[in-house]
Amino acid sequence: MWITWKAPSPNNFNPAADPGLMRMPKSRGGCPATLMKKIQRLEMEGISKSFHGIHANKEISLSVGSGEILGLLGENGAGKTTLMNILYGLYQPDAGQIKINGSPVRITNPMESILMGIGMVHQHFMLIQNHSVIENIALGYKDTPFFFPKIKIREKVASFSRQFNFTIDLNQKIWQLSAGEQQRVEIIKALMNGADLLILDEPTSVLTPKEIEELIIILRQMKADGHCVIFISHKLDEIMNICDRVVVLQKGSIVGSADTGKTDKKTLARMMVGRDVVFNISKEKLAKGQEILRADQIHVTGDMGLPAVKGVSFDLHENEIFGIAGVAGNGQRELAEAITGIRRIDSGKVTINGKDITNLSPRHIYDHGVSHVPEERIRFGIAPGLFLYDNAILKQHHLKKFSRRYFLKYNDVKTHTQGIVDDFKVLTHSIDNQIRNLSGGNIQKLILGREISEQPRLLVASHPTYGLDVGATEFLRHHLLKLRKQGSAVLLFSEDLEEIFELCDRIAVIFAGEFMGIFDSDDERLCEIGLMMAGSKRI
Amino acid sequence: MEEIIISTLQRAMVAGTPLLLATTGEIICERSGILNLGVEGVMALGAVTAFIVTMTTGSPWLGVLAALAAGMVISIIHAFTSVTLQANQVVSGLALTMLGLGLAGMVGKPYVGKPLTIKMEDITIPILSDIPYIGKALFSQSPFFFMAVGLALVSWFFLQRTRLGIQIRSTGENPKATETQGVNVFLIRYMSVIIGGGFSALAGAHLSISYSKSWIEGMTAGRGWIAIALTIFALWNPGRAIWAAFLFGGIFVAQYLMQPLGISPNFLAMLPYIATLLILVLISLKDPRKLNAPAMLAAPYKRGER
Ligand SMILES: Nc1ncnc2c1ncn2[C@@H]1O[C@H](COP(=O)(O)OP(=O)(O)OP(=O)(O)O)[C@@H](O)[C@H]1O
Ligand SMILES: [Mg+2]
């Protein structure tokens, strides 16, 4: 636990003693006096920013003080990340100013914001994929020594992450980690610097409830120590739980704010989406249909060359949603990749409708009616530099409806894309737009649209609601239930237990590559799911 | 026979020296994500500068310093176009090669064919140089040889074992993420390109004031391109570059040895490139991740883009 943890006092932070020569920015911006002083109050006044003539932020003013946790809410594409990137110096605002302790500052790049005492966990992981965990932490940590950084900070990092209950081999490369593990590395990286103002942009999207609890404890501790925190999340429960005050954005403007003590989830959701949101959807009972997927004694090797999935067997039927619950890094990613053909299956057999698809290519597996929502949308879900309409047919370009011999039928492709954009309410100024310009949630919506709209026989989805706002989450859950009703099967991987319980007919708990048990969703033994996820109980 | 082995080994070391210098420079540069195809030109400029300064001042060390400075200064052009202007690095690098070659030819015109009488004394390490066979080749060599090996080792140490090294490598892998961690990506890239250029110029200085002790146009003879191939062959690791450079140096020497045996020198001249292709294919077949190429090599980085 975190009781021993104490944020290094920023007053002792002397950049002149900082051995990293390259981190010394020329302070072009704010006056030097504010540079060294602890942030007591941060104000943003009248901030506007537009991209290609479309406002991402419009006249936004907010402030956060020492010892306060401010929640930032808003639909996908409302402009939360943009606003925080401006604060962190990644973007320059078109208008407006930022004040620290009452005096205006200009933040032109992250070096300056870090020196001023601002830290940030980014929505899309800012990690070097080919480097090890320790190298990534050494890069961002402000007290990294010049010589032998990896050796010298190892002990510090290890003890720090132990407090976070975060056991990971620090020598592992980032690309070998699952999304949940990467998110934990990001959080540790930011927390270790103990910034005066900590910005957290959807830090919990792929964490388990227990990990979220631990993060909340730390944030409370930081609050008690007088830090300012800005917290962005789509999970209203945790917003209600830790934030003192929330500000709601809609289409780039502030539409409301409230003290969390004087409001409730429903009101906040209405403020965000402009209508009532149903949080608890109920699914109707459906009889299982024919068997669609059968996995028999699957063994898969992970990126470290060790077994990641060890003899997993299960079956999945029409009209069924099958959930796999577990802490990230217990073989979920490898299992999903094995079934969809991205990763080799060492032994065992996978069949779809009785046909053997073991180790077929992803394309052929797709042709058997299996679609896949991967856990890391930027790396595996899209080609960031391509346009929306290219991304909308990534695995489908060879289908008759999109191509004739060697040529793509771009008119049909664009009509199809526009359909997805309309149905899934993807917020974009046009489909002739590079997909990387979309907000995180909107990228996710396009991927979901691509994978679901074709009425798959089997949908393999890894945290499909990753980064979706409450409205979109509700829409997606309904959509998954609709698929189920229409006779498809869904294999759902999620760290979010609530989601699993709400949607699934059967639930398997995975630990260290093995199933600890498979249960019907109304099975009473599931109350011990926490123990099973930790591997200390097997049924 | 013994004589031949010893002299071949010795000449392989000499031939490998400029390759190692230039390769180490290129590795640093590419690790920061900038592809510099200007090595050949910078090398030529370094050669001519070192030659002229040594000739006029009489001090080879002043020549070396001048070459270093010239190489660093001319590389600023490449840093400016590829880092500040975010232009195409291939085009800019090729332009640098042409500029360097042209400039060297022009400045060096009056000096063509003049012999250099000032000599740089070989450094001989006592005891070690008495080891049979390898002693003389490894421990009685020009100062450039020791400088090349020393710089390669230091570079390896810096890239792998210091914070600056992590910053340089991270910049080549993912400049955006690196910048969000408070690193000045632009400064890192400028610095790497300039240091890389300095190393290439040192390679040129070796050619003109130590190896052939004269200047003629075209004396770099494609060594700059071999250095670029070597960078890949060494998988962007200065430590590996050491033996790789001397291996390639050996191939260089073999050209002359094998000519009497009827093996075409053109074939041997191809060998470094074939070896590089081969190693690329072999590693890609086994595990492409081992290739280690900086992920964002040659990709311009614009701030404020997603
Ligand atoms: N660099 C950019 N170029 C073009 N458009 C951009 C850029 N950055 C952001 N936008 C646009 O600005 C709008 C706001 O995006 P932003 O990422 O701030 O949303 P968000 O509130 O963080 O959403 P989410 O909850 O999905 O993360 C989006 O419509 C997005 O397409
Ligand atoms: Mg966002």
Side-chain angles (χ1 to χ4, degrees):
Chain A
M1 278 296 140
W2 281 93
I3 304 128
T4 50
W5 182 78
K6 194 99 177 65
S9 156
N11 297 327
N12 309 339
F13 174 36
N14 173 12
D18 185 7
L21 208 66
M22 288 305 127
R23 295 166 62 101
M24 301 292 274
K26 286 176 256 347
S27 105
R28 268 161 282 159
C31 69
T34 50
L35 271 181
M36 289 306 117
K37 261 218 310 250
K38 188 169 158 43
I39 300 179
Q40 296 291 347
R41 172 151 297 275
L42 178 115
E43 290 156 289
M44 298 182 89
E45 285 179 356
I47 301 281
S48 294
K49 174 82 184 170
S50 51
F51 296 102
H52 316 295
I54 293 163
H55 276 288
N57 289 152
K58 208 162 22 183
E59 302 269 318
I60 295 188
S61 301
L62 55 82
S63 86
V64 54
S66 154
E68 185 181 29
I69 302 183
L70 175 72
L72 205 51
L73 281 176
E75 282 180 290
N76 294 131
K80 305 177 293 294
T81 301
T82 306
L83 187 66
M84 290 304 109
N85 282 345
I86 289 173
L87 185 51
Y88 195 62
L90 281 170
Y91 294 159
Q92 291 309 303
D94 300 337
Q97 66 174 350
I98 299 170
K99 284 184 183 169
I100 291 180
N101 300 339
S103 42
V105 290
R106 258 187 67 209
I107 306 176
T108 53
N109 58 47
M111 281 155 274
E112 294 181 356
S113 58
I114 290 172
L115 268 197
M116 289 174 196
I118 302 176
M120 179 161 174
V121 170
H122 299 264
Q123 180 177 13
H124 293 134
F125 308 140
M126 293 295 179
L127 296 168
I128 317 284
Q129 293 289 331
N130 286 329
H131 285 185
S132 61
V133 174
I134 189 86
E135 277 174 319
N136 270 280
I137 295 176
L139 179 69
Y141 184 44
K142 63 174 197 263
D143 293 331
T144 304
F146 188 80
F147 289 109
F148 304 106
K150 284 183 268 180
I151 303 170
K152 285 190 186 153
I153 67 165
R154 179 171 300 263
E155 196 35 55
K156 222 178 268 176
V157 175
S159 68
F160 198 86
S161 41
R162 255 196 308 277
Q163 298 170 330
F164 196 46
N165 272 335
F166 175 44
T167 46
I168 190 164
D169 179 359
L170 293 176
N171 292 327
Q172 261 188 333
K173 299 271 171 18
I174 299 295
W175 61 267
Q176 296 167 326
L177 304 180
S178 68
E181 292 169 300
Q182 292 185 33
Q183 191 153 49
R184 286 181 274 175
V185 176
E186 274 288 89
I187 292 176
I188 290 202
K189 227 170 63 172
L191 289 179
M192 274 189 71
N193 276 332
D196 294 348
L197 169 66
L198 184 62
I199 305 166
L200 299 145
D201 192 353
E202 301 189 27
T204 59
S205 43
V206 273
L207 295 186
T208 56
K210 190 152 177 289
E211 288 165 339
I212 295 176
E213 247 167 59
E214 260 146 28
L215 178 66
I216 289 177
I217 294 174
I218 309 166
L219 293 181
R220 289 231 170 88
Q221 178 70 46
M222 290 186 72
K223 176 180 152 152
D225 290 345
H227 295 247
C228 320
V229 179
I230 300 182
F231 190 90
I232 300 177
S233 175
H234 291 297
K235 300 181 183 172
L236 294 177
D237 286 314
E238 64 194 35
I239 290 269
M240 292 297 291
N241 190 346
I242 54 170
C243 295
D244 302 303
R245 203 157 52 83
V246 288
V247 167
V248 182
L249 294 185
Q250 201 181 68
K251 301 208 171 72
S253 312
I254 293 188
V255 292
S257 68
D259 287 337
T260 43
K262 296 187 200 124
T263 186
D264 56 27
K265 261 170 72 177
K266 263 212 151 66
T267 322
L268 287 180
R270 196 172 329 111
M271 241 196 267
M272 264 169 77
V273 197
R275 64 179 164 84
D276 281 322
V277 177
V278 185
F279 287 105
N280 297 309
I281 45 178
S282 52
K283 56 174 189 284
E284 55 186 314
K285 269 246 170 276
L286 287 177
K288 278 201 233 187
Q290 282 176 344
E291 176 186 281
I292 290 188
L293 170 78
R294 168 172 287 280
D296 197 15
Q297 286 297 323
I298 305 187
H299 287 265
V300 184
T301 308
D303 286 327
M304 291 294 275
L306 301 172
V309 178
K310 306 166 194 160
V312 161
S313 306
F314 61 99
D315 47 39
L316 185 47
H317 298 254
E318 285 176 347
N319 310 95
E320 191 181 35
I321 300 183
F322 187 89
I324 296 188
V327 179
N330 275 297
Q332 296 96 318
R333 176 167 89 141
E334 288 82 359
L335 181 57
E337 289 180 351
I339 290 171
T340 50
I342 302 172
R343 189 177 288 268
R344 249 193 76 80
I345 297 176
D346 298 333
S347 67
K349 193 170 157 189
V350 183
T351 56
I352 293 285
N353 289 330
K355 283 192 219 75
D356 190 353
I357 59 152
T358 318
N359 289 331
L360 290 186
S361 75
R363 231 301 268 290
H364 285 108
I365 293 181
Y366 175 79
D367 290 340
H368 278 88
V370 179
S371 32
H372 181 207
V373 177
E375 64 168 20
E376 278 178 76
R377 56 180 169 236
I378 302 286
R379 272 175 74 209
F380 296 111
I382 57 166
L386 295 187
F387 292 108
L388 255 68
Y389 55 78
D390 298 312
N391 274 290
I393 54 158
L394 273 191
K395 265 178 299 182
Q396 300 146 2
H397 57 275
H398 62 290
L399 300 182
K400 279 245 158 43
K401 35 191 247 220
F402 298 130
S403 61
R404 191 183 307 117
R405 289 175 187 268
Y406 302 107
F407 299 99
L408 287 172
K409 297 194 255 185
Y410 266 114
N411 281 336
D412 296 354
V413 171
K414 286 185 177 174
T415 323
H416 172 74
T417 310
Q418 195 60 51
I420 295 180
V421 166
D422 295 341
D423 287 351
F424 286 78
K425 302 194 181 60
V426 180
L427 186 74
T428 172
H429 62 83
S430 119
I431 57 170
D432 296 291
N433 186 0
Q434 287 186 341
I435 196 163
R436 64 160 171 232
N437 287 337
L438 265 53
S439 80
N442 285 301
I443 294 175
Q444 185 74 2
K445 289 187 201 168
L446 189 92
I447 295 175
L448 289 166
R450 175 180 78 209
E451 301 298 330
I452 294 177
S453 59
E454 293 297 302
Q455 195 69 44
R457 297 292 293 144
L458 169 68
L459 172 70
V460 179
S462 301
H463 10 255
T465 54
Y466 181 179
L468 293 188
D469 62 41
V470 280
T473 301
E474 180 198 20
F475 172 80
L476 177 81
R477 291 187 178 165
H478 278 301
H479 210 104
L480 289 180
L481 290 177
K482 194 168 105 198
L483 273 182
R484 164 178 177 261
K485 194 169 174 192
Q486 288 164 345
S488 300
V490 179
L491 180 60
L492 178 73
F493 293 84
S494 181
E495 258 93 61
D496 185 348
L497 292 180
E498 208 176 301
E499 178 165 282
I500 294 238
F501 280 117
E502 215 163 276
L503 294 175
C504 297
D505 300 291
R506 280 188 303 149
I507 298 166
V509 183
I510 194 168
F511 175 77
E514 291 177 71
F515 280 172
M516 307 308 283
I518 299 179
F519 311 90
D520 286 332
S521 60
D522 48 12
D523 195 319
E524 278 171 7
R525 289 171 298 175
L526 272 174
C527 62
E528 291 186 304
I529 192 163
L531 286 180
M532 289 187 270
M533 277 166 64
S536 44
K537 192 166 176 95
R538 180 178 210 136
I539 295 169
Chain B
M1 191 60 210
E2 198 184 312
E3 292 264 290
I4 296 181
I5 294 177
I6 292 178
S7 87
T8 310
L9 209 57
Q10 177 135 20
R11 281 158 63 195
M13 295 297 133
V14 174
T17 298
L19 298 181
L20 180 55
L21 279 167
T23 305
T24 307
E26 183 69 9
I27 288 175
I28 295 175
C29 183
E30 292 197 9
R31 276 294 193 171
S32 80
I34 303 287
L35 178 69
N36 186 354
L37 295 184
V39 182
E40 181 85 3
V42 177
M43 214 189 247
L45 189 72
V48 81
T49 314
F51 186 81
I52 296 175
V53 172
T54 309
M55 189 110 167
T56 46
T57 65
S59 156
W61 287 109
L62 268 185
V64 170
L65 279 183
L68 186 68
M72 290 170 106
V73 168
I74 198 168
S75 300
I76 295 178
I77 300 176
H78 185 61
F80 180 72
T81 50
S82 44
V83 182
T84 307
L85 302 183
Q86 291 126 21
N88 185 316
Q89 296 173 16
V90 173
V91 176
S92 163
L94 290 176
L96 187 63
T97 284
M98 289 186 245
L99 178 69
L101 288 176
L103 212 57
M106 196 176 77
V107 189
K109 197 124 226 170
Y111 298 88
V112 171
K114 288 194 185 158
L116 193 67
T117 46
I118 303 135
K119 255 184 75 182
M120 240 180 174
E121 290 300 325
D122 277 2
I123 297 177
T124 302
I125 297 174
I127 305 173
L128 285 178
S129 56
D130 296 336
I131 302 174
Y133 295 107
I134 58 164
K136 217 159 156 358
L138 292 184
F139 300 107
S140 177
Q141 283 282 10
S142 76
F144 279 100
F145 171 81
F146 297 105
M147 190 157 69
V149 176
L151 283 176
L153 289 175
V154 169
S155 304
W156 174 86
F157 179 82
F158 260 79
L159 282 177
Q160 296 299 331
R161 293 286 183 270
T162 66
R163 177 180 193 168
L164 182 62
I166 293 183
Q167 291 175 338
I168 293 176
R169 286 184 291 123
S170 301
T171 303
E173 292 288 340
N174 187 345
K176 173 147 201 215
T178 308
E179 179 158 42
T180 62
Q181 302 308 308
V183 176
N184 191 336
V185 167
F186 286 59
L187 197 61
I188 292 268
R189 288 194 154 172
Y190 259 92
M191 192 191 73
S192 306
V193 173
I194 291 173
I195 290 179
F199 281 27
S200 299
L202 286 183
H206 169 260
L207 292 177
S208 67
I209 63 176
S210 169
Y211 185 61
S212 60
K213 302 194 188 62
S214 65
W215 159 257
I216 40 165
E217 224 182 311
M219 74 183 298
T220 47
R223 286 184 179 85
W225 301 110
I226 294 186
I228 290 168
L230 258 171
T231 304
I232 303 167
F233 187 84
L235 304 179
W236 292 271
N237 179 338
R240 243 185 248 125
I242 297 179
W243 65 260
F246 293 119
L247 179 73
F248 279 32
I251 296 177
F252 226 76
V253 174
Q255 283 179 38
Y256 303 103
L257 279 184
M258 301 234 198
Q259 222 161 341
L261 305 179
I263 296 173
S264 156
N266 292 335
F267 170 74
L268 286 162
M270 276 169 16
L271 265 186
Y273 303 104
I274 294 179
T276 303
L277 282 178
L278 214 64
I279 213 149
L280 278 180
V281 170
L282 283 179
I283 294 180
S284 304
L285 282 181
K286 241 184 90 200
D287 182 3
R289 292 254 174 208
K290 289 248 161 61
L291 254 184
N292 246 345
M296 283 299 169
L297 182 61
Y301 169 61
K302 271 202 185 71
R303 185 180 273 158
E305 267 201 349
R306 284 230 179 178

